Amino acid sequence: MAFAALRRSLASKLAIGIGGLLALGLTTAQTLREAMPPASLPVARAEQPIEAGRWQLVIRNAGLDKAPRPDGSRGRPGMKALSVDLDLMNRSSESSNAFSRILSFAPPIAGLSPSPTAYLLRDGAILGALQPGLPERIRMVWDLPEAAAIPETIRVVVTGETFKPRDNLLAAPGWFNPKPIAAVTLPLRSESSGS
């Protein structure tokens, strides 16, 4: 009798262990697959709407200049500004200032500041947070040393996120898994004014 009970206990523990290992293996494989960059990044055009999870954006153009920024400031001495103009809308239900992470450059540009400053083009104010459902035309500006070499065209990579109603840690909703979703190649315009 005791032997049969011991055998049933061992069989159930073995089944639970195997099930747990299978679940862990499947979760790990899915995480690794989602983390891998796509084989080729979809190419978008300037003026084309791009759905990036929390954001909907339309990249308009890019420029390089030493003129005043939209708020009238001239930036730091010895620096010039690399800018990208875009229309941006927050598709989430909360105000967000996470838009500084949605654009990057490939290949990376040497000497470029790690984070841009975003300006509202309608009034030149620095954008602190974007309200839900309110599209804005903005200019994202990165500082760059005047002596830095810049190509005639740049490749802007758009990073998107996915919404999860419950995250794995706190079971709270949020935007997760940032990854490149599209690339836009733009010629760099040269301006004499910040408009």
Side-chain angles (χ1 to χ4, degrees), residues 54 96-104 115-116 140 157-161 175 178:
R54 181 191 325 220
S96 176
N97 62 359
F99 46 79
S100 65
R101 300 186 302 242
I102 61 174
L103 299 182
S104 60
S115 295
M140 296 180 87
V157 176
V158 178
T159 299
E161 299 169 304
W175 293 91

Side-chain angles (χ1 to χ4, degrees), residues 15-191:
I16 291 170
I18 290 172
L21 286 174
L22 284 173
L24 178 63
L26 288 172
T27 303
T28 302
Q30 182 180 4
T31 302
L32 290 173
R33 184 181 55 82
E34 289 177 357
M36 293 176 62
S40 64
L41 205 52
V43 175
R45 297 180 330 276
E47 312 289 331
Q48 175 185 349
I50 301 171
E51 300 289 335
R54 181 191 325 220
W55 309 103
Q56 178 178 343
L57 62 145
V58 177
I59 297 177
R60 299 289 177 188
N61 54 55
L64 185 65
D65 63 78
K66 294 184 232 178
R69 295 159 190 245
D71 67 349
S73 70
R74 295 204 168 266
R76 297 189 335 243
M79 303 298 273
K80 55 188 171 185
L82 173 65
S83 64
V84 175
D85 290 358
L86 62 145
D87 296 341
L88 186 63
M89 185 173 71
N90 179 353
R91 300 173 62 222
S92 72
S93 61
E94 298 178 345
S95 299
S96 176
N97 62 359
F99 46 79
S100 65
R101 300 186 302 242
I102 61 174
L103 299 182
S104 60
F105 302 96
I109 299 171
L112 196 68
S113 60
S115 295
T117 302
Y119 297 91
L120 292 167
L121 287 178
R122 64 179 157 87
D123 61 7
I126 292 177
L127 178 58
L130 195 59
Q131 308 303 318
L134 181 64
E136 289 282 0
R137 182 156 294 181
I138 67 172
R139 177 170 293 163
M140 296 180 87
V141 178
W142 290 261
D143 287 328
L144 186 67
E146 283 184 11
I150 298 293
E152 291 181 11
T153 61
I154 58 170
R155 185 170 182 247
V156 181
V157 176
V158 178
T159 299
E161 299 169 304
T162 52
F163 180 76
K164 290 176 75 174
R166 292 174 173 250
D167 72 337
N168 297 342
L169 184 60
L170 301 173
W175 293 91
F176 303 97
N177 306 325
K179 63 181 175 182
I181 59 164
V184 179
T185 300
L186 299 168
L188 278 177
R189 72 184 188 290
S190 209
E191 296 184 335

